[in-house]
Amino acid sequence: MTEILDERGLSCPQPVLDTLKALPSVQGGKLSVLVDTEAARENVARAAESKGWQLASVEEKDGEYTLHLVKNA
């Protein structure tokens, strides 16, 4: 099951900090992060990748982004 972290409405660096805090406790190795700025999208993806996670996909709808992260094996 994929866990969801809703960071919409928060300014950077808060979405990055919250994502980094959540990663170690994610069960099942899948996390979806919702953000509403391009900067947050890029920064969250970069931060997660630095911790051994992969950006599997990004969905964009009406200026909001869903980042689908998976833990590298």
Side-chain angles (χ1 to χ4, degrees), residues 13-68:
Q14 199 60 50
V16 172
L17 297 173
D18 291 346
T19 300
L20 291 175
K21 184 178 178 182
L23 290 178
S25 63
V26 171
Q27 301 295 315
K30 294 182 180 179
L31 176 67
S32 292
V33 182
L34 304 149
V35 297
D36 55 6
T37 66
E38 287 187 33
R41 179 195 70 190
E42 294 170 10
N43 293 337
V44 166
R46 192 175 315 118
E49 288 171 351
S50 77
K51 297 296 182 186
W53 288 70
Q54 178 181 351
L55 180 62
S57 65
V58 177
E59 296 175 27
E60 188 273 329
K61 183 176 180 183
D62 299 327
E64 296 183 345
Y65 304 92
T66 304
L67 288 77
H68 299 283

